[in-house]
């Protein structure tokens, strides 16, 4: 009994010492310019933990934490979210969680995992940009890989020079971080919610610290780290083949995008002979040009399968590559760059520590070779083997350990899986379920891709699961749908691409002259309409022309606004191509309004300017400003219906 008491005292003392070293310090918002977040009930912290949990008295690192307080006073167990990647940012997505259904009854805890986001140290934050510069070049796959290895090893050396312990950036360290954070926040148990690679981290955490977990939510799950890379090409082709099959069976899709599978593979052959070079903003690529080669094409299509909305436009995108539509493909580059927004120093620490050592390059190549028309696997992933082979050279990597995620503990588990997911396909969900003995629920979204929890339906399902409420068919109705709403009848229009790009990227004051000018034209419309009504149609020609011109400009503006808004609500990715063809009339009206504006100006100059010069100068200045904006946008326009 004395020995037992002594053991308890020593354990308590150890816990007190460790917790004292793990300092949680309240700080100001990580988003000082966001009024909405400043007013919200969110606590922001910096959390100090050992870099190496086996050397708790040595180097410390600082983790960024955000606690979004429950909106209900009588709150239930907290939810901690684990981002994927590895290397994805968490706190940067705080706005997503502000009105999340879970927040009604639960605190939501966001943690930038070590080496990501606002946490420190930062691990080569510019490495993703360097990768994108490499991808943008017109060079061979071999040279791409060579350049990628070079900049990755430079990153590794830079971290070593800073005294960073590369081996300490892994899922086991994160598990210790999470356990320590839970304790310092005085939480007994919490709901652990991981997405993508975060599901592997979450399962690892739940295995090491099972008593911390009330429930486990695994969105787009990894069942076995040793198959994660090995089956990469196979998983991509499963999703892509499903796309081809469903499009072929869909009458509209098959009519507008015939022989989609053949077109996809033929485009690979064409790009091998002649890549596509497009002009882009230098803020995206320093050279101002991006060259799509075969590997860029394959990874662009693979990344598109992640998102339900992108799946709907994927046949259209494949055809744009076929037709070498540089205008559309130039707009794609910005979105493509987002795929490389991870913290790649963190990515390679995790990947080289705990993924690549357990995957087999020979097996990867063997599986990839089965898809002969694909001409190899996805170089973006295969090149990680090359990076890690040198990253781990002359370094004590993590000793081979039991990587099994089998867990016999009684907490309940929810697994979400998308039918088009090219990286963690639906069979992964079934295999993940086998890691647990019972209390497992699998929900599949047949027309969805990666990260179902980011959808409204997914969020509601997760909330009900966490709160032990029934997950009804009505909650799953969108996930159960088998129909893919492929987008057909689209008018390709690069003017719309430029217009929507300006609206999203320009500062608000850029549009002040346009808004004022539209108000002036609206006043002209009202006043001329009143004149026409009061004089019963007995008016001068120039007044009638002013009425028609103002009416057309207002109609064009409203039509384009409605068209963009309608498309935005339906599928915002379409705005990277143009608008549905039902809005073509707006462009025809604009051409008429431009011609009419010129005629009105000439006639007014002859007949009316002499009577009220300042008024007409103001009116035509406003009309000119409107055309200045619209011509800047719509002079880029060309109309080419996909049907």
């Amino acid at each position: 009994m004395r020995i037992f008491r002594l053991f308890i005292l020593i354990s308590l003392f150890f816990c007190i010492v460790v917790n004292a070293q793990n300092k949680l310090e309240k700080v100001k918002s990580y988003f000082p310019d966001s009024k909405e977040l400043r007013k919200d009930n969110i606590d922001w912290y910096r959390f100090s933990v050992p870099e190496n949990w086996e050397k708790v008295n040595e180097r410390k690192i600082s983790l960024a934490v955000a606690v979004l307080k429950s909106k209900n006073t009588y709150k239930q167990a907290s939810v901690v979210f684990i981002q994927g990647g590895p290397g994805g940012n968490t706190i940067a997505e705080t706005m997503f969680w502000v009105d999340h259904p879970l927040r009604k009854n639960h605190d939501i805890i966001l943690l930038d995992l070590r080496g990501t986001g606002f946490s420190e140290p930062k691990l080569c934050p510019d490495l993703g940009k360097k990768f994108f510069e490499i991808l943008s070049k017109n060079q061979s796959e071999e040279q791409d890989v060579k350049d990628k290895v070079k900049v990755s090893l430079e990153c590794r050396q830079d971290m070593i020079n800073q005294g960073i312990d590369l081996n300490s950036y892994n899922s086991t360290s994160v598990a210790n971080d999470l356990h320590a954070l839970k304790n310092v926040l005085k939480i007994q148990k919490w709901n652990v919610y991981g997405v993508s690679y975060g599901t592997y981290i979450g399962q690892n955490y739940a295995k090491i610290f099972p008593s911390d977990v009330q429930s486990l939510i695994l969105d787009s799950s990894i069942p076995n780290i040793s198959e994660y890379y090995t089956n990469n090409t196979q998983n991509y082709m499963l999703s892509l083949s499903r796309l081809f099959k469903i499009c072929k069976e869909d009458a509209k899709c098959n009519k507008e995008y015939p022989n989609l599978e053949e077109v996809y593979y033929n485009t690979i052959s064409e790009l091998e002979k002649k890549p596509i070079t497009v002009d882009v903003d230098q803020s995206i690529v320093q050279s101002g040009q991006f060259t799509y080669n075969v590997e860029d094409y394959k990874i662009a299509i693979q990344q598109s399968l992640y998102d339900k909305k992108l799946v709907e436009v994927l046949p259209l995108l494949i055809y744009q590559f076929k037709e070498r539509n540089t205008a559309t493909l130039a707009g794609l580059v910005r979105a493509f760059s987002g795929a490389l927004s991870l913290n790649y120093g963190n990515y390679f620490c995790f990947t080289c520590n705990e993924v690549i050592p357990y995957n087999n390059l020979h097996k990867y190549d063997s599986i990839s070779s089965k898809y002969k028309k694909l001409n190899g696997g996805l170089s973006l992933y295969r090149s990680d083997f090359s990076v890690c082979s040198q990253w781990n050279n002359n370094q004590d990597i993590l000793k081979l350990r039991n990587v099994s995620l089998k867990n016999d503990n009684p907490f309940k588990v929810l697994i979400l899986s998308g039918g088009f997911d090219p990286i963690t396909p639906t069979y992964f969900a079934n295999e993940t379920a086998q890691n647990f003995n019972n209390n497992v629920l699998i929900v599949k979204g047949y027309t969805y891709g990666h990260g179902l929890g980011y959808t409204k339906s997914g969020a509601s399902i997760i909330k009900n699961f966490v709160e032990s409420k029934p997950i009804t068919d009505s909650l799953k109705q969108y996930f159960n749908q088998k129909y893919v709403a492929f987008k057909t009848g689209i008018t390709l229009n690069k003017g719309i691409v430029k217009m929507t790009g300006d609206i999203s990227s320009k500062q608000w004051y850029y549009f002040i002259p346009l808004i004022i000018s539209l108000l002036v034209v609206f006043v002209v419309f009202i006043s001329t309409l009143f004149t026409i009504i009061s004089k019963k149609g007995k008016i001068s020609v120039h007044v009638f022309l002013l009425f028609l011109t103002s009416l057309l400009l207002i109609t064009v503006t409203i039509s384009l606004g409605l068209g963009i808004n309608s498309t935005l609500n339906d599928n915002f990715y379409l705005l990277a191509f143009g608008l549905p063809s039902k809005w073509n009339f707006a462009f025809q009206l604009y051409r008429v309004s431009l011609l009419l504006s010129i005629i009105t100006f000439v006639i007014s100059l002859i007949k009316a300017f002499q009577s009220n010069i300042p008024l007409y100068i103001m009116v035509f200045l406003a009309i000119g400003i409107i055309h200045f904006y619209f011509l800047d946008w719509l002079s880029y326009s060309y109309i080419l219906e996909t049907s």
Side-chain angles (χ1 to χ4, degrees):
M1 181 62 73
R2 287 182 178 177
I3 294 174
F4 178 73
R5 288 176 180 171
L6 182 62
F7 173 76
I8 294 296
L9 287 172
I10 292 172
S11 298
L12 286 172
F13 176 75
F14 177 77
C15 289
I16 291 169
V17 170
V18 170
N19 285 332
Q21 292 175 333
N22 301 330
K23 184 179 179 182
L24 186 69
E25 179 185 2
K26 208 166 190 178
V27 295
K28 293 181 179 179
S29 170
Y30 290 108
F31 307 95
D33 296 330
S34 173
K35 292 181 181 179
E36 183 176 353
L37 290 179
R38 283 206 310 269
K39 292 178 181 178
D40 207 321
N41 189 13
I42 303 174
D43 289 338
W44 311 91
Y45 298 99
R46 296 213 70 87
F47 184 42
S48 176
V49 296
E51 183 174 53
N52 186 333
W53 277 96
E54 294 180 357
K55 301 175 182 178
V56 295
N57 293 318
E58 296 186 8
R59 177 185 168 100
K60 299 291 190 295
I61 60 175
S62 176
L63 307 182
V65 179
V67 179
L68 287 76
K69 298 292 187 177
S70 168
K71 296 183 178 181
N72 194 331
T73 307
Y74 304 100
K75 60 186 179 183
Q76 301 178 33
S78 300
V79 176
V80 62
F81 178 72
I82 306 174
Q83 184 58 276
N89 298 318
T90 304
I91 292 178
E93 296 181 349
T94 300
M95 285 301 301
F96 170 78
W97 298 96
V98 167
D99 294 315
H100 196 283
L102 279 169
R103 199 180 174 199
K104 181 179 179 182
N105 298 317
H106 308 265
D107 287 351
I108 296 176
I109 298 164
L110 306 179
L111 169 68
D112 273 337
L113 304 185
R114 48 177 57 207
T116 70
F118 293 100
S119 291
E120 295 176 352
K122 299 186 184 302
L123 309 183
C124 309
D126 295 328
L127 189 54
K129 292 180 181 178
K130 292 179 180 179
F131 286 161
F132 199 66
E133 290 287 343
I134 292 169
L135 289 176
S136 72
K137 296 177 181 177
N138 185 8
Q139 59 187 27
S140 67
E141 177 187 342
E142 292 75 16
Q143 188 61 47
D144 275 357
V145 173
K146 185 177 179 181
D147 290 349
K148 180 179 178 180
V149 171
K150 179 177 180 292
V151 296
S152 299
L153 294 181
E154 288 172 353
C155 159
R156 174 183 178 273
Q157 189 58 49
D158 180 60
M159 290 192 289
I160 291 172
N161 292 344
Q162 294 179 53
I164 294 170
D165 181 358
L166 306 187
N167 286 344
S168 293
Y169 292 80
N170 56 67
S171 295
T172 302
S173 293
V174 173
N176 282 287
D177 296 342
L178 290 167
H179 179 66
L181 179 61
K182 181 195 75 73
N183 288 341
V184 80
L185 289 173
K186 296 181 172 56
I187 295 172
Q188 185 177 0
K189 286 179 181 284
W190 54 12
N191 301 287
V192 179
Y193 174 6
V195 63
S196 193
Y197 197 83
T199 65
Y200 175 72
I201 296 173
Q203 289 176 84
N204 200 43
Y205 170 51
K207 186 172 182 179
I208 298 172
F209 298 105
S211 60
D212 288 4
V213 181
Q214 179 159 306
S215 72
L216 189 59
I217 301 101
L218 305 173
D219 184 359
S220 307
S221 62
I222 298 171
N224 180 356
I225 204 67
S226 65
E227 299 293 324
Y228 185 47
Y229 264 66
T230 303
N231 292 333
N232 185 287
T233 306
Q234 170 186 285
N235 295 340
Y236 170 46
M237 292 312 300
L238 282 173
S239 299
L240 193 58
S241 297
R242 187 165 180 262
L243 176 84
F244 296 149
K245 180 176 183 293
I246 294 176
C247 180
K248 189 174 183 178
E249 293 171 351
D250 183 292
K252 286 186 177 179
C253 185
N254 191 46
K255 180 181 179 181
E256 196 151 318
Y257 312 108
N259 306 312
L260 187 62
E261 182 173 6
E262 182 182 340
V263 168
Y264 172 77
Y265 288 117
N266 286 345
T267 303
I268 288 177
S269 300
E270 289 300 317
L271 286 171
E272 285 177 337
K273 301 172 189 173
K274 187 178 179 182
I276 302 171
T277 299
V278 298
D279 294 326
V280 297
D281 195 292
Q282 287 184 315
S283 64
I284 304 173
V285 178
Q286 195 172 9
S287 66
Q289 288 190 323
F290 186 96
T291 298
Y292 287 100
N293 58 28
V294 173
E295 295 306 318
D296 299 329
Y297 169 60
K298 289 192 290 188
I299 200 64
I301 302 304
Q302 190 254 10
Q303 290 291 308
S304 298
L305 288 163
Y306 273 61
D307 191 313
K308 180 182 189 294
K309 295 293 185 183
L310 274 171
V311 168
E312 294 172 359
V313 301
L314 200 42
L316 173 60
L317 178 59
I318 290 172
Y319 260 71
Q320 298 319 296
F321 273 102
K322 169 187 177 289
E323 294 164 6
R324 306 179 72 86
N325 186 340
T326 55
T328 298
L329 297 180
L332 178 66
V333 173
R334 185 181 293 276
F336 191 21
S337 66
L340 296 174
S341 61
L342 298 175
N343 298 273
Y344 272 94
N346 170 285
Y347 174 90
F348 279 116
C349 283
F350 275 73
T351 301
C352 297
N353 275 332
E354 63 185 27
V355 183
I356 294 297
Y358 304 101
N359 284 258
N360 187 295
L361 177 59
H362 176 73
K363 189 175 179 182
Y364 175 94
D365 286 337
S366 177
I367 293 173
S368 298
S369 67
K370 296 177 183 177
Y371 306 97
K372 299 188 183 303
K373 290 190 290 185
L374 189 65
N375 191 21
L378 298 171
S379 175
L380 185 70
Y381 295 100
R382 191 188 186 283
S383 61
D384 287 351
F385 284 95
S386 300
V387 172
C388 289
S389 67
Q390 296 192 49
W391 186 284
N392 293 333
N393 193 29
N394 299 322
Q395 180 178 313
D396 293 330
I397 64 168
L398 292 178
K399 295 181 175 65
L400 288 177
R401 55 188 172 83
N402 179 15
V403 294
S404 170
L405 296 173
K406 295 287 184 183
N407 197 318
D408 297 331
N409 289 282
F411 48 75
K412 59 184 181 179
V413 182
L414 171 66
I415 302 171
L416 300 173
S417 181
F420 282 105
D421 192 334
I423 195 76
T424 56
T426 52
Y427 78 86
F428 269 27
N430 299 330
E431 291 182 0
T432 301
Q434 294 173 19
N435 289 335
F436 305 93
N437 282 343
N438 46 36
N439 288 334
V440 179
L441 173 65
I442 300 176
V443 176
K444 296 180 180 180
Y446 293 98
T447 63
Y448 288 75
H450 197 72
L452 275 67
Y454 285 108
T455 66
K456 186 176 180 180
S457 297
S460 298
I461 287 171
I462 291 169
K463 178 180 182 294
N464 276 31
F465 173 80
V466 167
E467 297 176 0
S468 298
K469 295 178 181 178
I471 298 175
T472 61
D473 288 339
S474 62
L475 270 181
K476 295 190 292 183
Q477 61 177 319
Y478 293 109
F479 285 172
N480 289 336
Q481 288 178 355
K482 304 291 177 69
Y483 170 73
V484 179
F486 290 117
K487 299 307 172 186
T488 57
I490 306 303
T491 297
L492 304 176
N493 191 304
K494 59 183 178 179
I496 287 295
V497 176
K498 187 175 191 305
M499 181 187 294
T500 53
D502 282 351
I503 291 171
S504 63
S505 63
K506 299 284 189 184
Q507 295 290 339
W508 61 271
Y509 47 78
Y510 173 81
F511 300 97
I512 288 178
L514 176 62
I515 294 169
I516 293 173
S517 298
L518 286 170
L519 288 173
V520 170
V521 167
F522 180 73
V523 171
V524 170
F525 168 71
I526 295 297
S527 61
T528 52
L529 177 62
F530 179 78
T531 301
I532 291 171
I533 294 172
S534 62
K535 293 189 176 182
K536 298 180 180 180
K538 297 178 181 179
I539 55 169
S540 59
V541 173
H542 73 273
V543 171
F544 182 69
L545 288 174
L546 275 174
F547 167 73
L548 285 180
T549 301
S550 58
L551 174 62
L552 281 176
L553 285 173
I554 292 169
T555 303
V556 168
T557 303
I558 292 173
S559 299
L560 287 175
L562 289 173
I564 290 171
N565 186 63
S566 172
T567 306
L568 194 64
N569 291 330
D570 176 36
N571 188 322
F572 58 88
Y573 289 115
L574 280 177
L575 295 174
F577 301 91
L579 289 176
S581 54
K582 66 181 180 181
W583 299 102
N584 284 356
F585 73 90
F587 301 98
Q588 306 301 340
L589 281 179
Y590 176 70
R591 292 181 177 89
V592 174
S593 74
L594 179 60
L595 178 61
L596 196 58
S597 296
I598 296 170
I599 294 171
T600 304
F601 175 75
V602 172
I603 292 177
S604 297
L605 187 64
I606 296 171
K607 293 192 173 184
F609 257 39
Q610 52 194 348
S611 61
N612 200 337
I613 293 175
L615 176 63
Y616 280 98
I617 288 176
M618 181 183 70
V619 169
F620 283 104
L621 179 62
I623 292 173
I625 289 172
I626 293 171
H627 284 302
F628 172 81
Y629 280 89
F630 278 16
L631 282 171
D632 181 45
W633 292 324
L634 302 184
S635 63
Y636 284 80
S637 295
Y638 63 94
I639 291 181
L640 174 63
E641 290 194 44
T642 61
S643 55

